[in-house]
Amino acid sequence: QVQLVESGGGLVQTGGSLRLSCAASVVSGRTFSGYTMAWFRQAPGKEREFVGACRWLSGACLYYGDSVKGRFTIFRDNAENTVTLQMNNVKPEDTAVYYCAAAKSLGASRSDEFDYWGRGTQVTVSS
């Protein structure tokens, strides 16, 4: 079992940057490095959207949603049990609650494939 806590959300202007962090506490089972870690977001009235993921086998953080490619970057630190979302050149449409999630499945990218979720952190981008 994994407990996830997000932090770093807030208000940012269009074109600015923001860094979100997710701290993981592994209660039982496999170690943090054995989970695919991802960020999702959900804007009011919209479905939860995949932002990006770091797979557990390679550790590669190369998998991003089309709307954030080239602007957002994910890092994971298996020694610190953290995963970070660096958001650059943000846009008003990036306004959402951002969630950290963990999956046992290697190639997970759909929200229903993730086993553990944080409570989310609000990001608001002003125009």
Side-chain angles (χ1 to χ4, degrees), residues 4-95:
L4 303 170
V5 179
E6 303 94 338
S7 61
L11 178 65
V12 59
Q13 291 186 334
T14 296
S17 298
L18 199 64
R19 177 170 288 197
L20 306 183
S21 294
C22 173
S25 298
V26 179
V27 178
S28 61
R30 60 177 71 179
T31 61
F32 175 76
S33 62
Y35 288 91
T36 289
M37 299 301 300
W39 287 93
F40 286 80
R41 66 185 184 183
Q42 189 165 19
K46 295 189 177 181
E47 293 186 354
R48 193 163 291 189
E49 177 188 12
F50 174 75
V51 175
C54 301
R55 293 185 173 174
W56 62 262
L57 185 59
S58 65
C61 302
L62 302 174
Y63 311 98
Y64 296 94
D66 289 341
S67 61
V68 305
K69 281 180 182 176
R71 299 188 298 120
F72 291 9
T73 306
I74 298 177
F75 306 91
R76 71 182 295 167
D77 186 333
N78 289 335
E80 297 292 330
N81 286 11
T82 60
V83 60
T84 300
L85 177 65
Q86 177 67 42
M87 305 167 60
N88 296 329
N89 189 24
V90 296
K91 305 175 181 180
E93 51 264 42
D94 294 324
T95 295

